[in-house]
Amino acid sequence: MLEEWFAAGGDGHIPAITNGTNEDKSSGQTTESSTLIYASIGREIIVSTLSAFRSSLERSLVPSKVDNLGMFCQLAAKIHRRSNILCQRFWDDWNSTPQNVNLSEASSVAIVGGVVDPFVYLFDTAHTVATAAFERLHVATSTNTNSGLGGVSTDIGRRESSILPCLSPLLTMLSSLLDEREDATTTLRTCIPDGMIHAALLGCLYLCSKENATLHHQNSENKRLLDAANNIMDSLCVIASIAGKSGSKECVAWLRDAVGAENSMTVTSLRGPALLHRIAVSAHKNMLLDLHAPVIASNALLVMAYSCRGPTSSDNHAWLCRVEDCFSSLEDEGFRSFASQFNAVTDAFTLLWLEMVSCLGNLVLTGSVSSNAIIKFMKTSEKSAMVACDIISATSHTLDLPMSHENILGNSIRTVQEMLLSVNSIASCCKSADAVDAAKTIRYKLLQCLAESTSLGSKIGFFATIPIAKEIERISSIENKKMHMLSKSESSQMSFVEEKKEALHVDTSLDNLSPQSKKSIVDIGENSLSLIQTWGKVNECMAMENANIAHDGDSLSKSLSGLSAEQRSAVGSDLVSFGPCRLMLSTTLRPLTAGGAQSTNWPDENVPLLSLITKYIDWSGCSERYERIAIKAVDILRLTVLNCKFNISGEEMDLDSALEMSVSQVGSQLRSVLCGIFKKSVSTMKGHKLLLFGKILSFLELCIVHHPTLASKILEEDSSGSTSLIDQMLDALVMETPNSISTAIVSLRCLQVLTQLWLSCSENYRSTSSTGTRTLYQLHPCDNIAHSFIMSKRLVKNCILSVETFQPALAQIFSAQLLTEMKSSAIFHRGVVLDYMVTAFKIIEADACTRLRSTECDSSNDNMSIAFLKKISQGQLLKQFLEIIGYHDGITVITKASEDFKQLASSENLALSLSAFSEPTATITLINKLPFTESRESLQRSLLCSDATSYLLTSQSMLNSGISRLGEIVLTSVGGACSSSELLTIATEAVQNYFDLSENIFIMKSAAPYTLTSTQLQQSIVCGNSLMSLVITCFSALSSTPTEFSKMNNLLEKILRASKRLVDLIDPDDRSLPGSLLLRLNTVTCAIIILGYIGERTDPTLSYDDEHLFKSIRIGVCRFACDCLSKLKHSTVSENHKGSDIMPYGYNTDIETTRQMNLLPLSLLHSSISLLTVIALTTEESSSQGISLSSRSFQSELTDTIRSRGTIEVLSYHLQHASSVTAEIYQRMKSNLASESSFETVDKTLAFFSVLCASKSTEIVELVLESNIISSSLTNHHLLTTAVEKWSTSPKSVIVRGYLQTSNHSQHGSLRPMRHTHDFVKDPAHDIWCSTIKIVASLLNSSNSSISGGASSKHAALLAIDFLHFYEKPITIFIQNCLTQEAREKTSLPSAIRSSGFEFTVATMNELADILALVSELCYGNHRKQFQIASKRLYQIMSEAAIAVVRSLSSFVGALGISREVFAALSSLDDVMSESATSEAASIQHQNLANRPLFSQGILSAKHEAIKNALYASSCCKAVTPHEKSLSPDESKSAQGADNNQLFHRHVSNDFVLLMESIAGQCIFNALTVIQMIHPRSSSFVTFTANEAAHLNLTSGPPIGAIVAIRSGSEISAHLTGSCANIRYGRVIYFNPIAKVLDIEYFDSDGIAAERHVSVTRLAALEDVSKRSTLFTYKAAPESVADSASMFSGEASIGNLILLLRWCRQHMSSLEAASSNDNGIGEDVVKSIAEITFIILGDEVGLHMELESPKFDTQHETQFINRQLLELFDDLETLSNFDLGASSDSQKSPAIFQQRINVDIWTTVQSQLELSLVTGRADREVIRKNSEQAGTTFGSFNWGRKTTPRGSRKSPFS
């Protein structure tokens, strides 16, 4: 609309559609000299006649005198004929007549002498006669007041008809004397008495009635009366046309009053439009009136038509409704009866409804009419439009239409067009919803009628091209005449045929026709073109509305760019079915002659209608009117080409093929026009020529995309060698900021065409690798045309120069204040300049991307786009651009323009909807129906300013997006040298722009909510997404973590606020705004990145303000993420393919769904969950730094946010759907399960749940418990239930738990067949299973740690117990299978070495560790008792499982410990033996090594033992995946260059074994924790207060022998025994039940060894002797684990604990423990295992001693256990760090455990094992002495060994 306004002169006024060819009856004025001469002659005749026959003009009512008067008045009327000069002269004479002259007595002498003007005298006489007759009628009417009452009788108007001859002279002469240039209201009121017109109409009605015609039609008096009535209706029609044309409110009001006659002296209810309608109906149906009928009927209808023209007022609308009421009750036949023939009645009838339809917008705008009345008016107007369609269809397609036919046809065509425009505008911006629905229904019917009626469409097409057809027919006629003059030779005939075809290509302009004929022909053609143009545009609006596509007046191609295939199909179907597309591609009708035969002068070939319409473009140079017609022709071309491309469904007619028939001619004509325009100075173009030029180039741009063949025809070079269009367009590009808006428009249109050509063809421009030359593959019809200008790089160069030139001027352009003047021209000019820059940036970006994607990217400076990007990256240009474009004042200007329009509309009381301002085209269509006033002009100017500001906003947004995308390319691909500080500066500037954009949009929405259209919002979203993408790119390119916390905090705050603003605005329009998903995703991504950087800060301390802001930001981000999750919905494939009902936030995870369709929703889902996880993790950071008040506040607010938004429930919803789909995929055993989006959803959701459950916050724990995550989401987890069932039921040969099998095809050698192998990958479902177990364990741990009390702890325990119950069977089966030793059928171990029978994998060990961790949490604190009570059976099963784990895994780690210790000692021995040693040194070394138990049988035996244990430990582990196998040693490679020690040492020191050892250590730790908490000893010690102890009844079971805790005498109080500082432990040796005193023997040596008469009140704790039971049998550890595999399948023993401690000792003392290895076990874990094992060992040995278990075992077994315990506790060195060269005495040092574990634990356990240790030391000393006395070399450490000494002792070094 902006360019149309600029073409109209830029004055803010778009002219409304004129009344066209049917000129008013008043158009009889002329100022020709012949008229003046004729008037002078007539004047002389009148003077002579009046002088001669003055007596015949007496002021008498005698019929003869009246007839004479009528004759003279008709003669005077013929003389004046409403000539401006003559009329002005008459009224001057009238006013100059002396006041004392009595005109009634004026003589002929006075007339001849010039005292009295004869016309003045005649007019006065006529007025006197008419007044007298009217007064006499008044007297007669007053006598009989009953006349006409009670309705419309057959006698009504009889008296009035008698005075018609008396009224006729006055009205006839008066109608000829009215000057159209002056307001005639005063003259009419003065000359015509009130009620006279109404009386005359009643008389006419009586004469037209059938009753009167039947009685008097042969009567001469009746004929006299009919002649008078005829003259009166003619005169009244002229007066009405002058009143309507004048635009005077008073004049139109007088006409309506005169016709309505509310104060008429005639008593009747028939008046106004009803009376005129009655006259028209009566006259039209009365066949007896002969020639009078059409005149009277047509004049009555014309008076009605002219009376409809009036200013906006309630009276005017009431009148319109009264006119409509006259026709609304008519049936279709009655309605169509007025248009049954091509006569004056039909002419008047069509003009009446043209006026009525034109007033429809006026009626709707004012709001003074009810919606029901508006709907009724529209329905009646619909009838008239349908009648107009019938008239068009019935009109003969001849080139020479009669004048009456032309008027009728013109009125009908314009009625249909006006009706389409009106109902379409009402459907867009009417306030009444009912009226909108009615308008849409009528619009659909009209479009359906136009599209389905073949005759109607073909006639409209014929009349649209009638000027072209007229000229073609004329030229063909000339050629026919030539043919008759030429010879009849064959060559002449052939020449004629060719010349006849040339008639279609001759430039013509109807110069041979007369001006009037030419005007009529062109009027019909222009009106028909306007109808086709309106038809197409309205159909596009309806098609887009039907598909729920917001277009806001945008072109169809822009609105449909982002639609789905379903929506495009729906729109395309409507475009072709209801639009003019088929008509334009059909063959035009062959013209008919006047006789009805087909014209012989028409070319024989079929002429496409589109080709003829294109001829108008050739005529555009003839005049400005032809330029307007050419503009309409280009619009029709555009919609035809575009609609063809949206024809997706199958059609009977191949539209593309039909269009191809016109390509050649259309292309050549458009090329010719463009070349002609370019030959002139394009910079000086203005008005319609500029508009035509812009539309042709826009059409060319459209053709390059949608019809490249036509585009190539337009752009192809002429054979004449003239400058090509492409070169001319390149020349038209400006290199500096254009000061002229015309220059800016020309440059922009040229650049847009060249850009589209570049983008369409540059992708086909490739570099060949062989020659290094550039070539262009033929993929686009324009490739050859574009080849030269792509290779010249001129366009890229011009764009770069333009950008560099415009950049300094941008600041001035953006900083200009438009709010003061609000000039549309300035705003539009600014938008064009910015749009030019947008297009230039697009070319630079496209060229740079093409170069970067090519394999041979130019490194030279010839590549201008890359060099320009490097220039941007090296300087501050990118930052400067971002600073300049950050204002977005286009939004502010729109707001002001909208406020101005709102105030104007309110002052005019216009009933417009809120969307009127956002639909400027439709609104202006309605406003143009208002009378032209200053208010209307202001409204138009305001809407034009709105359209200009919308364009400006679009340009600003697109420029912002273009610069942002360019910045991304610079930062990611060009390799700019931007430092971290520069990147952060760019990101800050982009965030500021984004923030300003959202704030301005929000202000606009707040100030004028109705002005924010979906298109503007979509543009803002696109701009925001571009800026956010640039921010993400900047953050991703940072090389170091930003240290400025405040800056990062502020950035995140601005991003959050800006996104929240936009999200709040786009929520109602999400269905039409696809960019909203990306906006949310970008926001979430930025938040994750920034929070990650904030979390990496080195300084954790924050100021109060920063901490408070950080807290509020995190809560805000959390709310944003929760809102995103709540909008996302899972949908099936069918739900996501419902066309217009597509779910904008719907995603699906079905198996067959393509990834692209779900990419954005799923990415948003996963990113939102990740963001919540990051936020939740910050609570843990706060907890680690100490719970401050701010941290507590944040945890509370976070909990409230998650709870209030139902986030847990929403995530459970997403988890449920994702789990179901993942389970279905898992059933198919797909190895790439981890790449499925559904699995990612499950994984990320569980990660978030894990963080929540691991939180130590009381509020979060309570949230998790109340949301019932465990039972609702995790327990009944479809994926888990499917997976565990598969694992439990499938044999090991089919499935490896925790892994999925993949198939690989490998071929070794060309002659060998392909071998099918299997690899394994980690099973993602198994990871989910382990994560679920960890979540339950974390919840238990958090509930124990929280301060909420026992309620939460109990609730969590119940949920965990339920979880274990639900999965009891698969868990128990897994543990049983995992710990079962099975003989392997095939093993790589030597036959002498037994396999362990275990197959521990990384997955199973991890799972086992997680299960034991869960059980340990259940056994902690009060949970244990609750667990035991709730499920005693399950409690027992888990307890036995923990013991079994310790038993089985002790073999694995025990073997590792033994083999590593020996290998370490051998390594040290090799170092010593490599040096020369004396015999004395050798003797010392022999003695030292002989004292080592593992070396007691010699080095070879020890080495063999180490190898067996190493292979045994290695056989316990199984590497499954390729990664796990890569961690284990490759024996074939390891054997090269390595000795046996190193080779076998690698079996226990490789990365895979270390990894397995680490996981096994975690399993052991968890199992030991469970054992410690379920051990009877843990619950056998009951504590008391002093008061409770005083009331104990110990007589029933005397506590003799029980262990007790005794308070010191000064510490007896009523407090709980929470501290051990003043408590001593001992055993009761005597109890006096009467005195209630005890005799105690203390364990420690801190005080007296025993105490008597200790009061029971000092009793702090007492052992429950009944719970003295053991969990481990009293059995020693085997010397060789490899030889005692059966020991690890029976009952657990103390030996298993000893093996664990040996392994711990080896880790603590080994030098390898100090080496860093990511796969190895941590030192803290080893220490914890040692401490717990010592505690359990102390309890178990102590209990066995209490129960006297050693008595039931052999003495050798007891000695063996004592020796093993002594090895752990005595002051002995380990094999890994002793010095073989030192003496034995120097090797004494404190035990390694004493240095590493807790001192209290060490001393306590020592006291518990004191008896065994003392006994062991004594036995060792006895054996040593006996050996020394015997003189044997049997080491002292051989005592208690289960070995047989060899007969002959060899040196251990042999």
Side-chain angles (χ1 to χ4, degrees), residues 413 417 420 450 457 459-465 525-538 579-581 583-584 609 613 632 635-637 639-640:
I413 291 174
Q417 182 197 1
L420 276 175
L450 289 170
K459 292 296 176 64
I460 293 175
F462 174 81
F463 294 124
T465 58
E526 183 177 6
N527 290 333
S528 299
L529 278 178
S530 298
L531 174 57
I532 296 173
Q533 181 188 30
T534 303
W535 176 8
K537 290 183 177 179
V538 172
C581 181
L583 174 62
M584 292 298 100
L609 185 59
I613 289 179
K632 296 176 182 178
D635 281 342
I636 293 173
L637 282 174
L639 69 90
T640 302

Side-chain angles (χ1 to χ4, degrees), residues 1555-1594:
L1555 175 63
M1556 291 296 297
E1557 182 185 27
S1558 174
I1559 305 174
Q1562 193 63 49
C1563 289
I1564 293 170
F1565 173 76
N1566 294 335
L1568 289 174
T1569 304
V1570 173
I1571 294 172
Q1572 182 187 11
M1573 289 182 288
I1574 68 169
H1575 200 282
R1577 177 75 77 175
S1578 63
S1579 60
S1580 64
F1581 213 53
V1582 184
T1583 59
F1584 310 100
T1585 64
N1587 186 35
E1588 292 173 342
H1591 296 82
L1592 285 176
N1593 183 12
L1594 300 178

Side-chain angles (χ1 to χ4, degrees), residues 1125 1169 1172 1207-1215 1245 1248-1249:
L1125 289 174
I1169 300 173
L1172 289 178
T1207 305
I1208 302 298
E1209 291 75 10
V1210 171
L1211 287 175
S1212 299
Y1213 162 83
H1214 293 299
L1215 178 63
T1245 305
F1248 175 64
F1249 286 165

Side-chain angles (χ1 to χ4, degrees), residues 1799-1820:
V1799 177
D1800 292 335
I1801 296 177
W1802 174 258
T1803 56
T1804 302
V1805 175
Q1806 266 197 330
S1807 65
Q1808 289 179 307
L1809 303 179
E1810 183 178 3
L1811 180 59
S1812 297
L1813 295 177
V1814 170
T1815 305
R1817 289 189 185 98
D1819 292 341
R1820 181 185 63 184

Side-chain angles (χ1 to χ4, degrees), residues 1188-1200:
S1188 63
L1189 292 178
S1190 178
S1191 299
R1192 289 184 184 276
S1193 175
F1194 170 68
Q1195 293 172 358
S1196 299
E1197 290 189 34
L1198 178 64
T1199 305
D1200 293 339

Side-chain angles (χ1 to χ4, degrees), residues 1772-1797:
L1772 294 177
E1773 68 287 344
T1774 62
L1775 285 175
S1776 60
N1777 61 1
F1778 76 95
D1779 183 5
L1780 289 175
S1783 63
S1784 300
D1785 296 335
S1786 64
Q1787 297 290 324
K1788 305 292 182 178
S1789 63
I1792 189 67
F1793 287 121
Q1794 186 177 356
Q1795 302 174 14
R1796 299 294 178 90
I1797 69 173

